[in-house]
mmCIF file of all heavy atoms in Angstrom:
data_model
loop_
_atom_site.group_PDB
_atom_site.id
_atom_site.type_symbol
_atom_site.label_atom_id
_atom_site.label_comp_id
_atom_site.label_asym_id
_atom_site.label_seq_id
_atom_site.Cartn_x
_atom_site.Cartn_y
_atom_site.Cartn_z
ATOM 1 N N TYR A 586 -9.547 -5.443 -14.173
ATOM 2 C CA TYR A 586 -10.058 -4.558 -15.186
ATOM 3 C C TYR A 586 -8.996 -4.248 -16.241
ATOM 4 O O TYR A 586 -8.544 -3.108 -16.351
ATOM 5 C CB TYR A 586 -10.577 -3.288 -14.513
ATOM 6 C CG TYR A 586 -11.616 -3.543 -13.459
ATOM 7 C CD1 TYR A 586 -11.260 -3.494 -12.112
ATOM 8 C CD2 TYR A 586 -12.929 -3.868 -13.783
ATOM 9 C CE1 TYR A 586 -12.215 -3.768 -11.119
ATOM 10 C CE2 TYR A 586 -13.892 -4.143 -12.817
ATOM 11 C CZ TYR A 586 -13.496 -4.110 -11.469
ATOM 12 O OH TYR A 586 -14.435 -4.376 -10.502
ATOM 13 N N PRO A 587 -8.593 -5.250 -16.986
ATOM 14 C CA PRO A 587 -7.530 -5.038 -17.970
ATOM 15 C C PRO A 587 -7.854 -4.059 -19.079
ATOM 16 O O PRO A 587 -6.973 -3.448 -19.672
ATOM 17 C CB PRO A 587 -7.270 -6.448 -18.531
ATOM 18 C CG PRO A 587 -8.553 -7.168 -18.333
ATOM 19 C CD PRO A 587 -9.085 -6.652 -17.011
ATOM 20 N N GLU A 588 -9.179 -3.877 -19.356
ATOM 21 C CA GLU A 588 -9.551 -2.924 -20.396
ATOM 22 C C GLU A 588 -9.237 -1.470 -19.936
ATOM 23 O O GLU A 588 -8.961 -0.591 -20.787
ATOM 24 C CB GLU A 588 -11.049 -3.030 -20.705
ATOM 25 C CG GLU A 588 -12.013 -2.643 -19.603
ATOM 26 C CD GLU A 588 -12.135 -3.627 -18.433
ATOM 27 O OE1 GLU A 588 -11.530 -4.703 -18.531
ATOM 28 O OE2 GLU A 588 -12.842 -3.290 -17.483
ATOM 29 N N ALA A 589 -9.270 -1.225 -18.624
ATOM 30 C CA ALA A 589 -8.943 0.089 -18.118
ATOM 31 C C ALA A 589 -7.424 0.240 -17.800
ATOM 32 O O ALA A 589 -6.859 1.340 -17.904
ATOM 33 C CB ALA A 589 -9.760 0.401 -16.873
ATOM 34 N N PHE A 590 -6.859 -0.894 -17.381
ATOM 35 C CA PHE A 590 -5.420 -0.860 -16.959
ATOM 36 C C PHE A 590 -4.644 -1.944 -17.687
ATOM 37 O O PHE A 590 -4.391 -3.041 -17.154
ATOM 38 C CB PHE A 590 -5.356 -1.114 -15.436
ATOM 39 C CG PHE A 590 -6.316 -0.277 -14.625
ATOM 40 C CD1 PHE A 590 -7.257 -0.908 -13.808
ATOM 41 C CD2 PHE A 590 -6.252 1.104 -14.663
ATOM 42 C CE1 PHE A 590 -8.129 -0.131 -13.025
ATOM 43 C CE2 PHE A 590 -7.187 1.879 -13.910
ATOM 44 C CZ PHE A 590 -8.115 1.213 -13.089
ATOM 45 N N PRO A 591 -4.296 -1.678 -18.936
ATOM 46 C CA PRO A 591 -3.668 -2.731 -19.762
ATOM 47 C C PRO A 591 -2.264 -3.153 -19.330
ATOM 48 O O PRO A 591 -1.810 -4.248 -19.670
ATOM 49 C CB PRO A 591 -3.665 -2.152 -21.151
ATOM 50 C CG PRO A 591 -3.721 -0.686 -20.937
ATOM 51 C CD PRO A 591 -4.528 -0.465 -19.721
ATOM 52 N N ASP A 592 -1.560 -2.269 -18.607
ATOM 53 C CA ASP A 592 -0.182 -2.576 -18.203
ATOM 54 C C ASP A 592 -0.159 -2.999 -16.740
ATOM 55 O O ASP A 592 0.277 -2.240 -15.845
ATOM 56 C CB ASP A 592 0.740 -1.370 -18.427
ATOM 57 C CG ASP A 592 2.195 -1.690 -18.234
ATOM 58 O OD1 ASP A 592 2.531 -2.876 -17.941
ATOM 59 O OD2 ASP A 592 3.051 -0.767 -18.346
ATOM 60 N N ALA A 593 -0.660 -4.162 -16.450
ATOM 61 C CA ALA A 593 -0.736 -4.668 -15.067
ATOM 62 C C ALA A 593 0.637 -5.190 -14.626
ATOM 63 O O ALA A 593 1.329 -5.859 -15.361
ATOM 64 C CB ALA A 593 -1.770 -5.775 -14.945
ATOM 65 N N ARG A 594 1.003 -4.845 -13.412
ATOM 66 C CA ARG A 594 2.294 -5.261 -12.870
ATOM 67 C C ARG A 594 2.131 -5.983 -11.520
ATOM 68 O O ARG A 594 1.182 -5.771 -10.796
ATOM 69 C CB ARG A 594 3.202 -4.031 -12.674
ATOM 70 C CG ARG A 594 3.448 -3.227 -13.926
ATOM 71 C CD ARG A 594 4.460 -3.864 -14.872
ATOM 72 N NE ARG A 594 4.727 -3.025 -16.022
ATOM 73 C CZ ARG A 594 5.712 -2.125 -16.090
ATOM 74 N NH1 ARG A 594 6.519 -1.961 -15.034
ATOM 75 N NH2 ARG A 594 5.898 -1.407 -17.183
ATOM 76 N N ASP A 595 3.115 -6.787 -11.177
ATOM 77 C CA ASP A 595 3.188 -7.434 -9.878
ATOM 78 C C ASP A 595 3.686 -6.439 -8.827
ATOM 79 O O ASP A 595 4.424 -5.481 -9.186
ATOM 80 C CB ASP A 595 4.118 -8.653 -9.935
ATOM 81 C CG ASP A 595 3.529 -9.791 -10.759
ATOM 82 O OD1 ASP A 595 2.280 -9.875 -10.818
ATOM 83 O OD2 ASP A 595 4.314 -10.577 -11.315
ATOM 84 N N PRO A 596 3.400 -6.674 -7.569
ATOM 85 C CA PRO A 596 2.636 -7.809 -7.002
ATOM 86 C C PRO A 596 1.098 -7.606 -7.161
ATOM 87 O O PRO A 596 0.624 -6.473 -7.211
ATOM 88 C CB PRO A 596 3.009 -7.810 -5.553
ATOM 89 C CG PRO A 596 3.284 -6.366 -5.224
ATOM 90 C CD PRO A 596 3.898 -5.796 -6.455
ATOM 91 N N GLU A 597 0.424 -8.715 -7.249
ATOM 92 C CA GLU A 597 -1.041 -8.657 -7.301
ATOM 93 C C GLU A 597 -1.629 -8.438 -5.922
ATOM 94 O O GLU A 597 -2.631 -7.732 -5.752
ATOM 95 C CB GLU A 597 -1.574 -9.941 -7.884
ATOM 96 C CG GLU A 597 -3.103 -9.989 -8.006
ATOM 97 C CD GLU A 597 -3.611 -11.258 -8.677
ATOM 98 O OE1 GLU A 597 -2.768 -12.095 -9.100
ATOM 99 O OE2 GLU A 597 -4.830 -11.407 -8.777
ATOM 100 N N HIS A 598 -1.014 -9.100 -4.880
ATOM 101 C CA HIS A 598 -1.578 -9.055 -3.517
ATOM 102 C C HIS A 598 -0.619 -8.415 -2.558
ATOM 103 O O HIS A 598 0.602 -8.407 -2.709
ATOM 104 C CB HIS A 598 -1.910 -10.478 -3.030
ATOM 105 C CG HIS A 598 -3.003 -11.127 -3.869
ATOM 106 N ND1 HIS A 598 -4.275 -10.710 -3.867
ATOM 107 C CD2 HIS A 598 -2.919 -12.188 -4.724
ATOM 108 C CE1 HIS A 598 -4.989 -11.457 -4.672
ATOM 109 N NE2 HIS A 598 -4.197 -12.363 -5.223
ATOM 110 N N GLN A 599 -1.204 -7.887 -1.495
ATOM 111 C CA GLN A 599 -0.428 -7.228 -0.432
ATOM 112 C C GLN A 599 0.476 -8.195 0.291
ATOM 113 O O GLN A 599 0.162 -9.382 0.434
ATOM 114 C CB GLN A 599 -1.424 -6.591 0.594
ATOM 115 C CG GLN A 599 -0.805 -5.964 1.825
ATOM 116 C CD GLN A 599 0.024 -4.724 1.518
ATOM 117 O OE1 GLN A 599 0.821 -4.708 0.619
ATOM 118 N NE2 GLN A 599 -0.211 -3.658 2.293
ATOM 119 N N SER A 600 1.603 -7.693 0.765
ATOM 120 C CA SER A 600 2.551 -8.456 1.558
ATOM 121 C C SER A 600 2.961 -7.671 2.800
ATOM 122 O O SER A 600 3.453 -6.531 2.709
ATOM 123 C CB SER A 600 3.813 -8.791 0.732
ATOM 124 O OG SER A 600 4.865 -9.154 1.532
ATOM 125 N N ALA A 601 2.723 -8.280 3.966
ATOM 126 C CA ALA A 601 3.172 -7.643 5.214
ATOM 127 C C ALA A 601 4.668 -7.506 5.292
ATOM 128 O O ALA A 601 5.176 -6.642 5.980
ATOM 129 C CB ALA A 601 2.652 -8.412 6.416
ATOM 130 N N ALA A 602 5.367 -8.369 4.568
ATOM 131 C CA ALA A 602 6.864 -8.292 4.512
ATOM 132 C C ALA A 602 7.269 -6.944 3.943
ATOM 133 O O ALA A 602 8.172 -6.261 4.452
ATOM 134 C CB ALA A 602 7.434 -9.408 3.726
ATOM 135 N N ALA A 603 6.609 -6.529 2.832
ATOM 136 C CA ALA A 603 6.938 -5.242 2.251
ATOM 137 C C ALA A 603 6.490 -4.083 3.168
ATOM 138 O O ALA A 603 7.259 -3.104 3.294
ATOM 139 C CB ALA A 603 6.231 -5.127 0.898
ATOM 140 N N LEU A 604 5.366 -4.243 3.778
ATOM 141 C CA LEU A 604 4.881 -3.211 4.689
ATOM 142 C C LEU A 604 5.853 -3.025 5.866
ATOM 143 O O LEU A 604 6.185 -1.899 6.262
ATOM 144 C CB LEU A 604 3.490 -3.553 5.209
ATOM 145 C CG LEU A 604 2.581 -2.432 5.664
ATOM 146 C CD1 LEU A 604 2.154 -1.563 4.504
ATOM 147 C CD2 LEU A 604 1.337 -2.990 6.350
ATOM 148 N N ALA A 605 6.353 -4.151 6.409
ATOM 149 C CA ALA A 605 7.317 -4.092 7.497
ATOM 150 C C ALA A 605 8.619 -3.469 7.086
ATOM 151 O O ALA A 605 9.205 -2.669 7.845
ATOM 152 C CB ALA A 605 7.524 -5.507 8.067
ATOM 153 N N ALA A 606 9.112 -3.802 5.891
ATOM 154 C CA ALA A 606 10.358 -3.258 5.379
ATOM 155 C C ALA A 606 10.249 -1.779 5.178
ATOM 156 O O ALA A 606 11.171 -1.018 5.490
ATOM 157 C CB ALA A 606 10.766 -3.973 4.099
ATOM 158 N N LEU A 607 9.093 -1.311 4.666
ATOM 159 C CA LEU A 607 8.880 0.108 4.491
ATOM 160 C C LEU A 607 8.866 0.813 5.827
ATOM 161 O O LEU A 607 9.468 1.905 5.993
ATOM 162 C CB LEU A 607 7.592 0.349 3.739
ATOM 163 C CG LEU A 607 7.132 1.798 3.542
ATOM 164 C CD1 LEU A 607 8.176 2.607 2.797
ATOM 165 C CD2 LEU A 607 5.786 1.870 2.843
ATOM 166 N N ALA A 608 8.162 0.237 6.837
ATOM 167 C CA ALA A 608 8.119 0.848 8.150
ATOM 168 C C ALA A 608 9.503 0.915 8.791
ATOM 169 O O ALA A 608 9.894 1.916 9.368
ATOM 170 C CB ALA A 608 7.171 0.079 9.015
ATOM 171 N N ALA A 609 10.259 -0.155 8.691
ATOM 172 C CA ALA A 609 11.627 -0.172 9.245
ATOM 173 C C ALA A 609 12.503 0.882 8.587
ATOM 174 O O ALA A 609 13.314 1.540 9.298
ATOM 175 C CB ALA A 609 12.256 -1.584 9.049
ATOM 176 N N GLU A 610 12.345 1.050 7.283
ATOM 177 C CA GLU A 610 13.141 2.063 6.602
ATOM 178 C C GLU A 610 12.792 3.476 7.101
ATOM 179 O O GLU A 610 13.678 4.279 7.349
ATOM 180 C CB GLU A 610 12.868 1.953 5.085
ATOM 181 C CG GLU A 610 13.685 2.840 4.244
ATOM 182 C CD GLU A 610 13.420 2.580 2.749
ATOM 183 O OE1 GLU A 610 13.833 1.559 2.232
ATOM 184 O OE2 GLU A 610 12.761 3.500 2.126
ATOM 185 N N ARG A 611 11.507 3.694 7.265
ATOM 186 C CA ARG A 611 11.069 5.047 7.753
ATOM 187 C C ARG A 611 11.479 5.272 9.197
ATOM 188 O O ARG A 611 11.912 6.386 9.558
ATOM 189 C CB ARG A 611 9.578 5.168 7.586
ATOM 190 C CG ARG A 611 9.118 5.274 6.120
ATOM 191 C CD ARG A 611 7.655 5.522 5.995
ATOM 192 N NE ARG A 611 7.253 5.674 4.604
ATOM 193 C CZ ARG A 611 6.028 5.906 4.177
ATOM 194 N NH1 ARG A 611 5.039 6.032 5.062
ATOM 195 N NH2 ARG A 611 5.750 6.017 2.909
ATOM 196 N N LEU A 612 11.411 4.257 10.026
ATOM 197 C CA LEU A 612 11.849 4.392 11.414
ATOM 198 C C LEU A 612 13.345 4.665 11.527
ATOM 199 O O LEU A 612 13.781 5.527 12.306
ATOM 200 C CB LEU A 612 11.452 3.133 12.192
ATOM 201 C CG LEU A 612 9.971 2.989 12.528
ATOM 202 C CD1 LEU A 612 9.705 1.556 13.044
ATOM 203 C CD2 LEU A 612 9.490 4.025 13.571
ATOM 204 N N ALA A 613 14.116 3.964 10.711
ATOM 205 C CA ALA A 613 15.550 4.156 10.720
ATOM 206 C C ALA A 613 15.925 5.561 10.264
ATOM 207 O O ALA A 613 16.878 6.155 10.770
ATOM 208 C CB ALA A 613 16.236 3.114 9.865
ATOM 209 N N ALA A 614 15.174 6.082 9.306
ATOM 210 C CA ALA A 614 15.456 7.451 8.787
ATOM 211 C C ALA A 614 14.926 8.516 9.709
ATOM 212 O O ALA A 614 15.314 9.665 9.586
ATOM 213 C CB ALA A 614 14.846 7.590 7.387
ATOM 214 N N GLY A 615 14.000 8.143 10.578
ATOM 215 C CA GLY A 615 13.414 9.121 11.537
ATOM 216 C C GLY A 615 12.563 10.140 10.856
ATOM 217 O O GLY A 615 12.338 11.245 11.402
ATOM 218 N N ASP A 616 12.024 9.803 9.651
ATOM 219 C CA ASP A 616 11.214 10.779 8.935
ATOM 220 C C ASP A 616 9.741 10.625 9.090
ATOM 221 O O ASP A 616 8.936 11.272 8.424
ATOM 222 C CB ASP A 616 11.608 10.784 7.445
ATOM 223 C CG ASP A 616 11.333 9.432 6.781
ATOM 224 O OD1 ASP A 616 10.861 8.526 7.475
ATOM 225 O OD2 ASP A 616 11.590 9.316 5.563
ATOM 226 N N GLY A 617 9.328 9.730 9.966
ATOM 227 C CA GLY A 617 7.872 9.570 10.228
ATOM 228 C C GLY A 617 7.134 9.025 9.041
ATOM 229 O O GLY A 617 7.534 8.022 8.461
ATOM 230 N N GLY A 618 6.073 9.715 8.669
ATOM 231 C CA GLY A 618 5.300 9.241 7.535
ATOM 232 C C GLY A 618 4.279 8.206 7.902
ATOM 233 O O GLY A 618 3.692 7.549 6.987
ATOM 234 N N PHE A 619 4.005 8.020 9.193
ATOM 235 C CA PHE A 619 3.053 7.040 9.642
ATOM 236 C C PHE A 619 1.670 7.672 9.835
ATOM 237 O O PHE A 619 1.534 8.857 10.095
ATOM 238 C CB PHE A 619 3.501 6.353 10.916
ATOM 239 C CG PHE A 619 4.758 5.526 10.762
ATOM 240 C CD1 PHE A 619 5.950 6.041 11.196
ATOM 241 C CD2 PHE A 619 4.704 4.331 10.075
ATOM 242 C CE1 PHE A 619 7.131 5.289 11.020
ATOM 243 C CE2 PHE A 619 5.874 3.581 9.909
ATOM 244 C CZ PHE A 619 7.096 4.059 10.377
ATOM 245 N N LEU A 620 0.648 6.833 9.709
ATOM 246 C CA LEU A 620 -0.732 7.252 9.901
ATOM 247 C C LEU A 620 -1.254 6.755 11.252
ATOM 248 O O LEU A 620 -0.760 5.748 11.768
ATOM 249 C CB LEU A 620 -1.607 6.696 8.778
ATOM 250 C CG LEU A 620 -1.187 7.056 7.348
ATOM 251 C CD1 LEU A 620 -2.050 6.271 6.335
ATOM 252 C CD2 LEU A 620 -1.278 8.533 7.127
ATOM 253 N N ASP A 621 -2.245 7.420 11.775
ATOM 254 C CA ASP A 621 -2.954 6.888 12.936
ATOM 255 C C ASP A 621 -3.569 5.535 12.605
ATOM 256 O O ASP A 621 -4.051 5.368 11.417
ATOM 257 C CB ASP A 621 -4.061 7.845 13.408
ATOM 258 C CG ASP A 621 -3.488 9.144 13.986
ATOM 259 O OD1 ASP A 621 -2.357 9.103 14.491
ATOM 260 O OD2 ASP A 621 -4.195 10.135 13.916
ATOM 261 N N PRO A 622 -3.548 4.583 13.487
ATOM 262 C CA PRO A 622 -4.086 3.250 13.196
ATOM 263 C C PRO A 622 -5.612 3.236 13.212
ATOM 264 O O PRO A 622 -6.247 2.535 13.988
ATOM 265 C CB PRO A 622 -3.493 2.378 14.307
ATOM 266 C CG PRO A 622 -3.309 3.304 15.441
ATOM 267 C CD PRO A 622 -2.928 4.650 14.841
ATOM 268 N N LEU A 623 -6.177 4.007 12.307
ATOM 269 C CA LEU A 623 -7.625 4.114 12.156
ATOM 270 C C LEU A 623 -8.030 3.667 10.763
ATOM 271 O O LEU A 623 -7.276 3.906 9.785
ATOM 272 C CB LEU A 623 -8.069 5.553 12.419
ATOM 273 C CG LEU A 623 -7.745 6.119 13.804
ATOM 274 C CD1 LEU A 623 -8.089 7.608 13.852
ATOM 275 C CD2 LEU A 623 -8.504 5.341 14.868
ATOM 276 N N PRO A 624 -9.197 3.122 10.594
ATOM 277 C CA PRO A 624 -9.585 2.536 9.280
ATOM 278 C C PRO A 624 -9.824 3.598 8.231
ATOM 279 O O PRO A 624 -10.465 4.625 8.467
ATOM 280 C CB PRO A 624 -10.863 1.783 9.582
ATOM 281 C CG PRO A 624 -11.431 2.408 10.820
ATOM 282 C CD PRO A 624 -10.235 2.817 11.646
ATOM 283 N N MET A 625 -9.249 3.389 7.045
ATOM 284 C CA MET A 625 -9.456 4.236 5.877
ATOM 285 C C MET A 625 -10.496 3.557 5.028
ATOM 286 O O MET A 625 -10.126 2.666 4.220
ATOM 287 C CB MET A 625 -8.143 4.446 5.154
ATOM 288 C CG MET A 625 -8.234 5.465 4.015
ATOM 289 S SD MET A 625 -6.719 5.537 3.014
ATOM 290 C CE MET A 625 -5.488 6.041 4.209
ATOM 291 N N TYR A 626 -11.743 3.870 5.183
ATOM 292 C CA TYR A 626 -12.812 3.172 4.445
ATOM 293 C C TYR A 626 -13.093 3.862 3.097
ATOM 294 O O TYR A 626 -13.335 3.169 2.106
ATOM 295 C CB TYR A 626 -14.118 3.197 5.266
ATOM 296 C CG TYR A 626 -14.069 2.377 6.527
ATOM 297 C CD1 TYR A 626 -14.528 2.900 7.716
ATOM 298 C CD2 TYR A 626 -13.619 1.065 6.508
ATOM 299 C CE1 TYR A 626 -14.490 2.153 8.869
ATOM 300 C CE2 TYR A 626 -13.598 0.316 7.627
ATOM 301 C CZ TYR A 626 -14.019 0.841 8.841
ATOM 302 O OH TYR A 626 -14.009 0.113 10.006
ATOM 303 N N LEU A 627 -13.116 5.193 3.028
ATOM 304 C CA LEU A 627 -13.416 5.973 1.822
ATOM 305 C C LEU A 627 -14.877 5.940 1.416
ATOM 306 O O LEU A 627 -15.280 6.661 0.541
ATOM 307 C CB LEU A 627 -12.510 5.568 0.644
ATOM 308 C CG LEU A 627 -11.020 5.718 0.866
ATOM 309 C CD1 LEU A 627 -10.299 5.444 -0.438
ATOM 310 C CD2 LEU A 627 -10.651 7.094 1.401
ATOM 311 N N ARG A 628 -15.657 5.034 2.027
ATOM 312 C CA ARG A 628 -17.084 5.015 1.708
ATOM 313 C C ARG A 628 -17.800 4.277 2.867
ATOM 314 O O ARG A 628 -17.179 3.690 3.713
ATOM 315 C CB ARG A 628 -17.364 4.349 0.380
ATOM 316 C CG ARG A 628 -17.059 2.882 0.365
ATOM 317 C CD ARG A 628 -17.265 2.286 -1.040
ATOM 318 N NE ARG A 628 -17.052 0.855 -1.030
ATOM 319 C CZ ARG A 628 -16.760 0.125 -2.108
ATOM 320 N NH1 ARG A 628 -16.663 0.709 -3.287
ATOM 321 N NH2 ARG A 628 -16.595 -1.173 -2.006
#
C-alpha cells in the first residue's frame, strides 16, 4: 500500500534470525519481555 505508506523500508519479510537475536539479547539482559506462546489473531 505505497499510497498510504510512501516511505517503505526493509526488511520486507520476517526473519527468525532477527527474532532469535532479539530473544538472546533479552535473555542475556534478564529483562524478560516475552509473551505467552499463544496466537495473537486480533480478529
Side-chain angles (χ1 to χ4, degrees):
Y586 304 101
E588 68 285 355
F590 313 121
D592 189 2
R594 301 284 183 92
D595 290 333
E597 181 177 356
H598 296 293
Q599 174 69 312
S600 163
L604 205 67
L607 176 59
E610 186 177 288
R611 290 184 178 181
L612 286 168
D616 61 0
F619 295 105
L620 304 173
D621 291 333
L623 300 173
M625 187 187 298
Y626 293 132
L627 301 187
R628 67 184 184 201

